[in-house]
């Protein structure tokens, strides 16, 4: 199973968002077709309901993904983030950077 699936509503993440699974900028992991789909929508939901584990690398990766999407003209919202992600963001004082739904 891949780390995420792109659909017309956004991106559904699976498994772990941690230093073991995250190696590249999310935008570079997308196919040209997936990039076109997301640009066309201009809004994207990151569905995190299937994320099992997240660490500080996952938090940083998500913040970078939000930034990169903004630069591409796409507004991201996070749906059903794991409690661990919210706690990490608060401890790191970056919770205001997470666009929660």
């Amino acid at each position: 199973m891949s780390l995420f699936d792109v659909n017309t509503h956004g991106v559904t993440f699976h498994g772990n968002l941690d230093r073991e699974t995250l190696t590249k900028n999310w935008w570079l992991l997308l196919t040209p077709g997936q990039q076109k789909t997301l640009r066309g929508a201009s809004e994207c939901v990151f569905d995190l309901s299937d994320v099992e584990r997240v660490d500080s690398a996952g938090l940083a990766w998500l913040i970078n993904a939000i930034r990169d999407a903004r630069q591409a003209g796409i507004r991201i919202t996070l749906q059903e983030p794991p409690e661990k992600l919210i706690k990490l963001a608060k401890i790191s004082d970056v919770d205001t950077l997470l666009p929660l739904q």
Side-chain angles (χ1 to χ4, degrees):
M1 179 184 297
S2 68
L3 177 61
F4 59 83
D5 298 310
V6 177
N7 56 53
T8 56
H9 303 291
V11 181
T12 302
F13 289 85
H14 310 283
N16 301 330
L17 293 178
D18 58 22
R19 69 176 188 265
E20 305 289 323
T21 60
L22 302 169
T23 57
K24 287 187 178 180
N25 171 315
W26 83 286
W27 194 251
L28 298 177
L29 294 171
L30 299 174
T31 67
Q34 290 170 325
Q35 289 178 3
K36 183 179 178 182
T37 296
L38 294 176
R39 275 195 181 109
S42 76
E43 292 190 19
C44 177
V45 174
F46 276 13
D47 180 355
L48 303 172
S49 62
D50 197 31
V51 171
E52 298 168 9
R53 179 175 157 10
V54 64
D55 65 8
S56 58
L59 172 61
W61 189 86
L62 282 170
I63 290 170
N64 287 333
I66 293 162
R67 179 205 60 211
D68 295 343
R70 243 185 235 134
Q71 291 173 349
I74 301 165
R75 186 176 74 89
I76 289 182
T77 55
L78 304 180
Q79 178 180 340
E80 296 188 49
E83 189 61 33
K84 173 84 175 190
L85 176 64
I86 301 301
K87 288 179 182 179
L88 278 172
K90 286 182 180 180
I91 290 168
S92 304
D93 199 26
V94 295
D95 54 315
T96 58
L97 298 177
L98 299 180
L100 303 175
Q101 189 177 49

